[in-house]
Every structure is written in C-alpha cells, then in structure tokens.
Amino acid sequence: MRGPAVPLLPYQQAWLRDRARFKVGMWSRQIGKTFTTTLEAVDDCFEAFVRGERRRWVILSRGERQAKEAMDAGVKLHAKAYQMAFEELEYEVSGAGETRYKALEVVLPGGSRITALPANPDTARGFSANVLLDEFAFHHDSRAIWKALFPVISAGHKIRVVSTPNGKGNKFYELMTSGDSTWSRHVVDIHQAVAEGLPRDVEELRSGIADEEAWDQEYELKWLDEASAWLPYDLIMAAEDLEAGDPDGFAGGPCFIGNDIARRNDLWVSWVWEQVGDVFWAREILALKGASFSEQEDRLHDLMRRYNPVRLVMDQTGMGEKPVEDAQRRYGELRVEGVLMTAARQLDLATHAKQIFEDRKARIPAGDPVLRADLHKIRKIIGPSGRPRLMANRDSAGHADRTWAAFMGLAGAAQGAIDYGYRPVDRSRMDEDRSERAGRARFGRGAW
C-alpha cells in the first residue's frame, strides 16, 4: 500500500486532526509551522470540492516576503500534491491613505480561494473568511490587527494562530496564556519535534545560533520579558530589509561608521551606515574576534577607503585609547570621534538610536538571528539612585558589540556636516574595487 508522499509527524497530525474553530499553536522554529498550517487550508478546500462546496481562506503574514513564502512553499506545494489544478492571481489591496499591499491568491477547483498578504488592520478588515495568522507574535501592532480581524470570522469561520514567542507585550502571548477553554492550544518545542521524528541536530542548532536568549525564545519557546529590552523585537523586525547589509547596494551617499573595539573576549565590530534621504541603511557589518590590532587597523582602513565616511565614531574606553589616537592622526581629528562609554554616554547613544528605530528610519539585514539577538541584548535597569542605566549579558556572540557599533555610527550622523572638504566616494572607484576583489578571490590572492 502506498504511503503519503510526505509522512506527517505526530505533532503535525495532531494539529490537522484538531477541528476546533479557535486554534492557536506555539511552535519552535524550523519544525514545519507554515508547511502544516497551509496544509490544513488546502485540505479543507479539497474536502469542500469533494462535497460540492467552496471555502475561503486568508493568510496574514508579517510581510510580503513571508506571504509569498507561505504561498510558494505551502499552498501551491500542497495543491500540486493533491493534484488540484489552480489559477494564480496577484493584485493590490488598498490600505490607509495611498498605501498599497500586494495580495497573492490561488483559485482552486470548485471556486475555493486561498489568499496571502501582509497583515495590518486595513488588510484584516477586507475579507470574510477562515483566517491563518502566521508568526502572529511578530506582527506590528498585533492588538489593532486582532481588533480589526475578529469580526471577519464571526459568521462561523475558523481562525488559526501560529507563532514562536516574541516577548510578553503582544496579543499572541495573551492567547497562549489566558487559560480559558475557548481556544485549543498546541505547544511544540524543538525537543518534542525531534523526539517525534524530526531530523534535526539540536546541539548543532544551539551551537550555531550562539546566543542563549535567542535559543530560549526561538527553539525552547520561553517567554522573554520585553519590558526591559531597549530595542524590543517588534522594533528590530520592523527595521529589517532584504536589501540591507549588502555592500553592493551602496549608492555613494554620505556614510557613517561606528567602531566597537575589543581584542580578546568580545568582538571588534565596524558598522557602516549610508544615509539615503532621511533613512539610514546598514551597508556592511564587519565583526572580528581575537584579531590583532594591526589586522583591525587594516580592516578599518579598507572600510574608510571604500566608503569615505563623513565621520568615524570609535569606542575610546580602555584599550580604545591608542586606536582612536591612531585613527585621528591618519584621518583627521575632525573626522574621527572617540567616545568614552560612561553610563551617561551609553544612555545618550542608545536614546538617539532608539528614536531612529521608532521613526522607522533604520534598515538592517533581514533574517539574521544572531544580529537580532545582539540588538535585543541591551536592557534598561534602574540603579540605586533611581537613574536608568543600560546593561547587556556577555556570551559567545559578544557583549552587544554589534549594537554599540550601530549606535555609535548613528550618533556620528546626528552631528551634521563639518567643514573638512568631505566628498562622497566615487562610485566608479567602488565598481573597480569590487572587480578587483572578485579577481583576487578567483585566483586565490586573498579575500576581503
């Protein structure tokens, strides 16, 4: 007897067998959340087709990229497995003001439809359908989305909510912890998934993420208190952009570099920001561990040569005294600023940077769990005097070194223009450097 093309594991079968109208799942990363939940939607449409009925499903994802992934790696994949022909549609949905959102849709036999689009209060109001909220804990303004959404399913439709945790300050946390009997709740961490047959190397994953807090949240489903986080995950995720972090995206605009200095235990980090209009794009984030001072100087000089920044802001605390003096002598005292990282100065840097993140004027690389965890490490605590101060736990991934480099770079941009004859870097020279680096890589003459 022929078995299923993709055998389902016990926790996946449990989700599909559960026909509760209100169902919420807290699942670990990398165990098949989107695969399983989109399978339920397609299976429901197939059942409707057999009965001569039709179904309507809407998938609300965190962004357009996630909506496309749910459609491509979930809905369409399952429809093909069911041998259901489908028509693909793509159209725009109006939001507040002139905002437009891209909707992806498949039309299945019998007239059933499954639509995937970014989640926000406007798109949540636009349908009367069964709803799947994918990674709901990471949706911006989850309570406003929930308020707009719930009437959509009031006419007997089903609602499915799945996510990994994202602190306690969102609607997903309330749904998972309210303790009522209305909702059917499923919880699957990485250990249960592996015990039930998922082929994953837990220790390899834990070593690879290199951050205990990120591991606790993303894989062991622990609720981390967002109240003390200086940059909550909502702010961090809202700043992520697929085009950030790519040096090839450099457009020749004014650049600012923040440099956190370390020699042995922590990371030496240089973070390059490019200002495009009033938005700051992360163009390159260079992190070294255990690098000699001479190597650090060489790598910094390479960044200075390629980006020709308006200002370089460096950590002058402790061992940073000499690197700052050397950089000022090489690039000019007006161009290089040393920062003594006192508690008051750290709070100034962090406050300015947080405002930029809150104003949605920062763009950082997307989908990097180590970077996310680093940006989330800094906590605000109240000292004995009643004054706030910042602290960050030290682990194998550093001591929020990337974060402080980012904050210093943004502080450099806040000082405005200075008169030392600054000129943006020549794009033609950047293209020549890129070709030269590619040639050296091909012929084994070193790497950047």
Side-chain angles (χ1 to χ4, degrees), residues 15 40 89 104 140 175:
W15 177 269
E40 180 182 15
L89 302 176
L104 305 173
H140 178 59
L175 292 175

Side-chain angles (χ1 to χ4, degrees), residues 268-280:
W268 178 95
V269 181
S270 279
W271 185 305
V272 182
W273 293 102
E274 181 189 5
Q275 186 173 357
V276 181
D278 62 350
V279 177
F280 295 93

Side-chain angles (χ1 to χ4, degrees), residues 262-407:
R263 175 63 180 87
R264 294 186 185 278
N265 297 322
D266 296 326
L267 299 177
W268 178 95
V269 181
S270 279
W271 185 305
V272 182
W273 293 102
E274 181 189 5
Q275 186 173 357
V276 181
D278 62 350
V279 177
F280 295 93
W281 287 80
R283 288 302 179 211
E284 192 163 347
I285 305 169
L286 179 61
L288 305 173
K289 187 167 186 177
S292 65
F293 285 118
S294 61
E295 182 182 357
Q296 294 176 14
E297 185 178 4
D298 289 345
R299 302 300 286 273
L300 179 60
H301 181 63
D302 172 54
L303 295 175
M304 295 292 290
R305 181 181 64 84
R306 290 193 283 120
Y307 291 98
N308 192 26
V310 176
R311 188 172 285 103
L312 166 64
V313 181
M314 305 176 70
D315 176 11
Q316 193 173 343
T317 313
M319 68 179 65
E321 290 283 359
K322 186 176 186 305
V324 170
E325 289 181 8
D326 292 343
Q328 288 176 335
R329 185 168 55 251
R330 188 168 195 174
Y331 307 114
E333 292 186 4
L334 289 177
R335 197 178 180 193
V336 179
E337 178 189 356
V339 174
L340 294 174
M341 299 290 274
T342 63
R345 189 70 174 109
Q346 286 182 328
L347 188 58
D348 287 343
L349 293 172
T351 299
H352 173 70
K354 185 174 184 178
Q355 186 64 59
I356 291 175
F357 274 76
E358 289 177 339
D359 291 342
R360 303 296 190 261
K361 293 181 178 179
R363 301 291 184 271
I364 63 174
D368 184 341
V370 174
L371 179 60
R372 280 181 195 158
D374 194 298
L375 290 167
H376 192 257
K377 277 180 185 175
I378 296 179
R379 304 278 168 175
K380 180 179 72 172
I381 62 173
I382 304 300
S385 66
R387 294 173 59 86
R389 62 188 180 90
L390 304 177
M391 64 175 296
N393 293 328
R394 177 178 279 106
D395 55 31
S396 59
H399 191 225
D401 309 305
R402 297 172 181 84
T403 305
W404 287 118
F407 288 2

Side-chain angles (χ1 to χ4, degrees), residues 106-350:
V106 297
V107 182
L108 296 162
S112 292
R113 293 172 178 260
I114 301 176
T115 307
L117 69 167
N120 62 73
D122 296 318
T123 57
R125 288 187 181 93
F127 300 89
S128 177
N130 302 298
V131 175
L132 165 59
L133 288 168
D134 190 23
E135 289 292 7
F136 184 48
F138 293 90
H139 290 194
H140 178 59
D141 204 353
S142 61
R143 287 187 175 84
I145 292 172
W146 189 256
K147 182 179 179 180
L149 168 73
F150 206 78
V152 167
I153 58 94
S154 60
H157 296 299
K158 294 175 283 191
I159 185 166
R160 305 297 185 239
V161 183
V162 290
S163 189
T164 49
N166 183 25
K168 301 179 179 181
N170 53 70
K171 186 64 182 180
F172 180 71
Y173 172 76
E174 295 177 8
L175 292 175
M176 285 301 304
T177 60
S178 64
D180 61 83
S181 58
T182 303
W183 286 83
S184 176
R185 295 175 175 86
H186 295 243
V187 178
V188 187
D189 66 11
I190 188 66
H191 302 291
Q192 178 184 340
V194 170
E196 294 185 5
L198 184 73
R200 297 287 187 272
D201 186 327
V202 173
E203 291 308 313
E204 181 180 57
L205 289 173
R206 189 168 193 162
S207 175
I209 199 171
D211 186 281
E212 283 303 305
E213 185 176 277
W215 174 262
D216 287 346
Q217 174 173 275
E218 303 284 338
Y219 291 92
E220 294 193 345
L221 309 181
K222 296 179 181 177
W223 298 107
L224 304 182
D225 189 359
E226 287 283 82
S228 64
W230 188 255
L231 290 182
Y233 276 115
D234 280 351
L235 277 187
I236 296 168
M237 305 284 278
E240 291 188 358
D241 193 288
L242 291 173
E243 296 182 6
D246 181 5
D248 289 345
F250 177 50
C255 288
F256 306 88
I257 298 180
N259 181 209
D260 192 42
I261 296 171
R263 175 63 180 87
R264 294 186 185 278
N265 297 322
D266 296 326
L267 299 177
W268 178 95
V269 181
S270 279
W271 185 305
V272 182
W273 293 102
E274 181 189 5
Q275 186 173 357
V276 181
D278 62 350
V279 177
F280 295 93
W281 287 80
R283 288 302 179 211
E284 192 163 347
I285 305 169
L286 179 61
L288 305 173
K289 187 167 186 177
S292 65
F293 285 118
S294 61
E295 182 182 357
Q296 294 176 14
E297 185 178 4
D298 289 345
R299 302 300 286 273
L300 179 60
H301 181 63
D302 172 54
L303 295 175
M304 295 292 290
R305 181 181 64 84
R306 290 193 283 120
Y307 291 98
N308 192 26
V310 176
R311 188 172 285 103
L312 166 64
V313 181
M314 305 176 70
D315 176 11
Q316 193 173 343
T317 313
M319 68 179 65
E321 290 283 359
K322 186 176 186 305
V324 170
E325 289 181 8
D326 292 343
Q328 288 176 335
R329 185 168 55 251
R330 188 168 195 174
Y331 307 114
E333 292 186 4
L334 289 177
R335 197 178 180 193
V336 179
E337 178 189 356
V339 174
L340 294 174
M341 299 290 274
T342 63
R345 189 70 174 109
Q346 286 182 328
L347 188 58
D348 287 343
L349 293 172

Side-chain angles (χ1 to χ4, degrees), residues 305-306 308 425-434:
R305 181 181 64 84
R306 290 193 283 120
N308 192 26
V425 72
D426 184 353
R427 276 308 305 261
S428 63
R429 193 180 77 190
M430 286 288 292
D431 294 337
E432 291 173 3
D433 288 345
R434 193 172 295 118

Side-chain angles (χ1 to χ4, degrees), residues 20-31:
R21 183 182 176 195
F22 302 122
K23 187 164 65 174
V24 58
M26 183 167 67
W27 287 21
S28 163
R29 292 280 298 275
Q30 297 186 351
I31 67 169

Side-chain angles (χ1 to χ4, degrees), residues 59-79:
I59 303 170
L60 295 177
S61 297
R62 186 170 60 86
E64 287 188 357
R65 180 175 65 86
Q66 290 80 10
K68 187 176 188 304
E69 180 180 351
M71 189 62 72
D72 291 344
V75 173
K76 291 192 284 189
L77 181 72
H78 298 314

